[in-house]
Amino acid sequence: MGMFIISNLVGSTIQITTLPLPVLSTLQASGLVFNSICATLILGEPFTRWSLGGTMLVSSGAVLIAIFGAIPEPAHSLDQLLQLLGRRTFVIWMILQLILVLAIIVIAGFLARIPSISSTPRIRLFRGLAYGSISGILSAHSLLVAKSAVELLVRTIIDRINQFNRWQSWAILLGLVTLALTQLYYLHRGLKLVSTSVLYPLVFCIYNIIAILDGLIYFH
């Protein structure tokens, strides 16, 4: 747990300040490789040819996106971030994401309340993948909010223009904490139902796709 917290606080903070969002999310594909190795060595989960092939494909795709998607971008001020936040395209995108997450929660919760099928392997797998999908979506949005918060911090330190003298900046930080804790909660619920070697690649793929779309839509 300590390794997880330190790597995310230190490693992610450095990455966020130096990389655009599409590159930042895809480079984290390296975690898939170590996840497959550790799931086998520590948890005793099987490592098949399909596991190897899937890990290599996802990692290779992520590296290609990171190489060809590197676009330099400046740090934004609070006014610029709020202007991007209010764009109609981004608002519609976030509303659709909210509807999707709520629909998944309702369906997974409904299946859990049916005693005759809730304990069957197929339903347990479906519910675990559903919770993992929610975790991936929320994790991508938390990365977007973290990127915005770090940009405000960079502008405050480098330009010496305080970006945290308005309530909107603190609302961004509150949103970051809320999204981060919520995605961890659903990741935990998913891991109680599905093995790590199955759930983590799914979460990563969904997180990757949503994070790329977030960066393209939000930062225009």
Side-chain angles (χ1 to χ4, degrees):
M1 188 64 179
M3 292 172 61
F4 177 81
I5 294 174
I6 293 173
S7 64
N8 277 274
L9 287 178
V10 179
S12 296
T13 302
I14 296 174
Q15 294 174 54
I16 288 173
T17 56
T18 55
L19 293 173
L21 207 58
V23 178
L24 174 62
S25 60
T26 50
L27 279 180
Q28 295 182 354
S30 59
L32 286 171
V33 179
F34 293 101
N35 173 76
S36 299
I37 295 173
C38 291
T40 301
L41 297 179
I42 299 176
L43 302 179
E45 295 182 1
F47 187 79
T48 64
R49 289 180 297 175
W50 289 106
S51 301
L52 176 62
T55 301
M56 294 295 291
L57 282 174
V58 175
S59 301
S60 301
V63 171
L64 288 174
I65 294 175
I67 292 174
F68 294 104
I71 302 173
E73 57 182 7
H76 298 80
S77 65
L78 178 60
D79 290 329
Q80 291 172 326
L81 290 176
L82 293 177
Q83 185 177 3
L84 294 172
L85 185 66
R87 291 176 60 244
R88 181 183 178 185
T89 306
F90 181 73
V91 172
I92 294 175
W93 165 247
M94 293 305 294
I95 291 175
L96 292 175
Q97 293 294 297
L98 177 61
I99 294 173
L100 176 61
V101 168
L102 292 177
I104 295 174
I105 292 174
V106 170
I107 294 173
F110 175 76
L111 292 175
R113 292 186 179 92
I114 304 178
S116 58
I117 64 173
S118 61
S119 59
T120 60
R122 181 171 296 181
I123 295 300
R124 284 177 59 87
L125 175 63
F126 177 82
R127 288 175 54 215
L129 296 181
Y131 292 137
S133 300
I134 296 173
S135 176
I137 294 172
L138 297 181
S139 180
H141 294 325
S142 68
L143 178 65
L144 175 65
V145 178
K147 176 75 171 174
S148 302
V150 170
E151 287 194 353
L152 294 178
L153 183 62
V154 170
R155 290 296 294 267
T156 300
I157 296 175
I158 295 179
D159 298 341
R160 297 185 179 180
I161 301 175
N162 185 14
Q163 301 292 324
F164 291 92
N165 55 358
R166 293 158 61 183
W167 67 269
Q168 291 95 333
S169 299
W170 297 102
I172 290 176
L173 289 178
L174 179 61
L176 171 60
V177 174
T178 303
L179 285 171
L181 294 178
T182 306
Q183 69 93 9
L184 282 177
Y185 168 75
Y186 281 105
L187 179 62
H188 169 69
R189 294 195 66 175
L191 287 172
K192 291 172 67 176
L193 300 169
V194 183
S195 69
T196 307
S197 58
V198 172
L199 189 66
Y200 184 73
L202 172 74
V203 172
F204 173 80
C205 287
I206 294 176
Y207 155 80
N208 214 12
I209 294 170
I210 300 297
I212 291 173
L213 292 174
D214 272 353
L216 295 175
I217 296 173
Y218 181 69
F219 290 111
H220 196 38

